[in-house]
């Protein structure tokens, strides 16, 4: 089967990093773009964290990335993260789970994750808290909001956020740090930017309502294709995979099934 034009463009744009020097150069290039975007928006670049996303990258290449200095890696699927965690236990690296979680995988996440960025249901909060309490651990969490309405089935509708935040404090092992979103997948910058704005406005409103319920009010938004726009709109964490590791073989629709 021949590749689509989109796939060809993606692999040309994001060559595969295979050496420590490749990873250092890619991270430096992304960092420079983050800093420039922060500058344009009159923001402090130091307030933006870069979370490298390593999904689908095989462990041999992960070890090189970790060698280059990466200490926190994002994974979208729990099973893959569990395996990679086990295969790199000799190294100094932590894991952020950034994808949809089913309650039957809560135990795995509670056992090793450093943060969880896709909290969108109380049943998941309850399952995580139960496992975390048993393990004597805490977990940083971001509440995922669906800012593109009809375009994704993950994340809660904006109208439900306020009630959700009010219900979270009983799960005392969860430390709420802020909100997370995936913008709509489209080349139309205006629509992408609108998603990021929705998240920022929700954060501002939540902070005004009750600042104790939203931690530092962080905004995790922006990926390889749109992180500069996200930083301009207030992101404090950008989740970047392909621009650091190289193009993925599978299309985005594999990770984010459309509603
Ligand atoms: C894969 C993924 C990213 C990173 O996407 P890239 O295109 O590789 O930068 C960000 N956020 C989530 C939730 C992801 O699953």
């Amino acid at each position: 089967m021949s590749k689509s034009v989109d796939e060809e463009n993606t692999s040309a744009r994001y060559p595969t990093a295979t050496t420590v020097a490749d990873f250092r150069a890619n991270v430096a290039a992304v960092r420079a773009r983050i800093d420039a975007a922060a500058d344009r928006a009159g923001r402090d670049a130091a307030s933006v964290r870069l979370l490298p996303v390593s999904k689908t990258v095989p462990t041999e290449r992960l070890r090189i990335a970790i060698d280059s200095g990466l200490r926190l890696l994002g994974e979208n699927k729990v099973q893959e993260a569990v395996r990679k965690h086990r295969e790199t236990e000799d190294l100094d690296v932590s894991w952020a789970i950034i994808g949809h979680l089913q309650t039957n995988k809560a135990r795995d996440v509670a056992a090793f994750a450093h943060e969880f960025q896709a909290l969108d249901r109380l049943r998941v909060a309850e399952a995580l808290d139960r496992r975390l309490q048993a393990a004597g651990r805490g977990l940083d969490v971001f509440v995922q909001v669906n800012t593109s309405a009809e375009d994704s089935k993950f994340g809660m509708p904006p109208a439900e956020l306020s009630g959700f935040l009010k219900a979270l404090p009983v799960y005392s092992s969860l430390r709420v740090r802020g909100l997370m979103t995936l913008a709509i997948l489209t080349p139309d910058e205006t629509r992408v930017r609108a998603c990021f704005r929705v998240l920022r406005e929700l954060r501002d409103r939540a902070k005004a309502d009750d600042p104790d319920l939203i931690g530092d009010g962080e905004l995790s938004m922006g990926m390889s294709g749109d992180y500069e726009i996200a930083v301009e709109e207030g992101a404090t964490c950008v989740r970047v995979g392909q621009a650091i590791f190289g193009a993925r073989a599978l299309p985005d629709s594999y990770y984010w099934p459309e509603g």
Side-chain angles (χ1 to χ4, degrees):
M1 220 172 68
S2 72
K3 286 188 168 183
S4 73
V5 174
D6 267 4
E7 283 171 295
E8 293 288 3
N9 285 345
T10 306
S11 24
R13 191 143 145 239
Y14 305 123
T16 304
T18 57
T19 66
V20 164
D22 288 345
F23 281 109
R24 293 221 167 113
N26 288 354
V27 168
V30 171
R31 191 67 241 182
R33 285 170 173 274
I34 291 171
D35 294 358
D39 229 42
R40 286 197 292 280
R43 302 184 54 212
D44 177 8
S47 67
V48 186
R49 174 167 70 115
L50 170 59
L51 172 61
V53 176
S54 52
K55 67 181 183 225
T56 75
V57 177
T59 302
E60 311 83 74
R61 277 211 298 132
L62 279 192
R63 300 183 77 89
I64 299 166
I66 295 165
D67 249 7
S68 81
L70 303 188
R71 290 290 166 266
L72 177 66
L73 296 173
E75 287 284 338
N76 160 293
K77 292 186 190 294
V78 176
Q79 240 150 346
E80 184 175 345
V82 166
R83 173 176 58 76
K84 289 175 172 175
H85 164 69
R86 198 174 53 232
E87 291 171 355
T88 56
E89 253 175 337
D90 55 319
L91 303 176
D92 177 19
V93 63
S94 304
W95 299 91
I97 304 298
I98 61 174
H100 184 71
L101 179 65
Q102 280 162 338
T103 49
N104 63 2
K105 301 260 169 58
R107 183 212 295 260
D108 291 330
V109 171
F112 80 98
H114 180 83
E115 63 187 77
F116 173 54
Q117 293 209 354
L119 184 61
D120 63 359
R121 284 171 304 147
L122 284 178
R123 283 192 53 210
V124 170
E126 196 274 328
L128 279 171
D129 185 60
R130 188 152 38 87
R131 303 300 190 179
L132 287 160
Q133 300 285 0
R137 295 186 80 226
L139 183 67
D140 287 353
V141 296
F142 290 69
V143 175
Q144 183 173 359
V145 181
N146 180 354
T147 53
S148 58
E150 67 280 9
D151 292 289
S152 159
K153 65 178 186 182
F154 297 134
M156 72 178 50
E160 290 173 20
L161 177 64
S162 167
F164 188 78
L165 289 173
K166 287 193 182 86
L168 281 183
V170 297
Y171 307 114
S172 59
S173 63
L174 304 180
R175 297 179 294 256
V176 178
R177 283 181 58 175
L179 308 179
M180 180 273 222
T181 202
L182 285 161
I184 183 174
L185 291 172
T186 166
D188 182 348
E189 230 184 75
T190 310
R191 296 174 71 198
V192 170
R193 193 178 289 276
C195 293
F196 296 145
R197 283 200 179 140
V198 166
L199 199 70
R200 186 184 67 218
E201 285 163 12
L202 285 169
R203 188 271 319 268
D204 291 347
R205 210 171 312 146
K207 242 185 171 167
D209 282 354
D210 188 343
D212 291 340
L213 297 182
I214 187 145
D216 290 333
E218 282 199 48
L219 296 176
S220 175
M221 54 191 199
M223 331 192 292
S224 292
D226 58 19
Y227 67 88
E228 291 163 278
I229 303 172
V231 170
E232 287 172 3
E233 295 301 331
T236 63
C237 175
V238 292
R239 309 175 308 268
V240 177
Q242 299 181 90
I244 292 175
F245 289 91
R248 276 187 299 276
L250 294 164
D252 284 336
S253 55
Y254 173 77
Y255 302 96
W256 309 296
E258 303 288 292

